[in-house]
Amino acid sequence: MKTIPLAEAVKLKSVLTKKIPELIQEIHLVSHVIIEKGETPKSSGRLLKDVEAELEQVRKDARTLDRLIYRANIDNTINFKGEELPIVEAIELASQLRAEASLCKDLGKSEKERLYSGRDNVVLYQVALYDPIVYRQKANELEKEAHRLSNLINAKNYQVEVEFDDSNYF
C-alpha cells in the first residue's frame, strides 16, 4: 500500500471535509430538472448515482484518514523540554501555551496603577497586584515555546508515514 506523510494526511482530511458539503450540494442540483409537461427528463450534469458513489467514497476516505491520523498522533512522540509527548498531547500543549500567552498579554497591557474614579472628594485608584512588565515578558516566552513546539510537531508530521492511497485526490 502507498504511504503518505502524516502532514499530507491532515491536509487531505481538511480537503475531504470541505468536499463533502460540495458533493451534497451537487446531489441537490443533479437530482431534479425542470421540464415541460410531457417531456422526458434529461440529466444536465453527472448522474445522481455517480455523485452519490463519489460522496460515499469521500466519506469512507475521511473516516479512514481520521483513524490513521488519530493512531499516528497517539503512537508517535515528540521530545519537548526533556519530556516525550505523544503528538496528540503536544498539539494540546501548544494550544494551552498559546492560550496562556494570550492571558499574559492581556495582563501585560494593564497599567500598574491608574485613576479609577473620584467622587465626594475621594480619589480611588485601580492597582495591579502584579507587575505588567513581567507578564509581557512571560507572554513573549510562552509564544516562543508554542512556536518551538509547533515546529517540532510540523517536522514530526513530515517524518511519520501513514498507509493511504491518495491517488484519487492528488
Side-chain angles (χ1 to χ4, degrees):
M1 165 139 284
K2 183 179 176 192
T3 62
I4 60 173
L6 177 56
E8 288 183 26
V10 170
K11 288 177 190 171
L12 180 55
K13 173 64 168 93
S14 175
V15 168
L16 297 184
T17 299
K18 291 175 186 169
K19 189 170 183 69
I20 290 170
E22 292 171 2
L23 289 168
I24 291 170
Q25 183 179 15
E26 186 178 355
I27 285 173
H28 287 292
L29 291 173
V30 301
S31 61
H32 296 86
V33 294
I34 297 173
I35 61 167
E36 285 187 31
K37 187 165 185 87
E39 286 188 9
T40 304
K42 294 180 185 161
S43 175
S44 60
R46 293 196 299 163
L47 296 176
L48 177 60
K49 67 178 180 140
D50 294 337
V51 182
E52 288 175 324
E54 183 179 351
L55 177 60
E56 183 180 336
Q57 184 61 50
V58 168
R59 284 178 168 159
K60 181 179 186 294
D61 287 344
R63 291 190 312 271
T64 300
L65 283 170
D66 266 346
R67 178 177 43 80
L68 295 171
I69 291 166
Y70 292 155
R71 177 55 48 209
N73 282 342
I74 291 169
D75 291 346
N76 294 279
T77 62
I78 291 170
N79 188 311
F80 183 67
K81 296 171 76 172
E83 187 178 357
E84 284 296 317
L85 302 171
I87 295 172
V88 66
E89 188 176 346
I91 291 168
E92 178 59 27
L93 177 56
S95 294
Q96 291 174 359
L97 288 170
R98 285 189 189 91
E100 188 176 353
S102 178
L103 174 62
C104 289
K105 271 186 178 180
D106 288 344
L107 291 171
K109 291 176 185 174
S110 179
E111 297 174 38
K112 182 67 177 160
E113 181 178 286
R114 72 176 179 92
L115 183 62
Y116 185 70
S117 73
R119 54 185 157 152
D120 300 329
N121 294 327
V122 176
V123 179
L124 301 175
Y125 290 91
Q126 179 182 34
V127 179
L129 302 175
Y130 61 93
D131 186 349
I133 293 171
V134 170
Y135 276 83
R136 281 194 295 271
Q137 293 167 342
K138 185 176 179 181
N140 288 335
E141 287 307 310
L142 288 166
E143 280 186 331
K144 287 178 188 177
E145 277 189 32
H147 292 317
R148 281 191 291 270
L149 183 52
S150 290
N151 287 340
L152 290 171
I153 293 167
N154 288 336
K156 189 67 161 191
N157 283 347
Y158 280 100
Q159 293 170 359
V160 173
E161 298 274 322
V162 296
E163 285 189 8
F164 187 82
D165 182 2
D166 64 351
S167 61
N168 287 337
Y169 306 104
F170 298 117

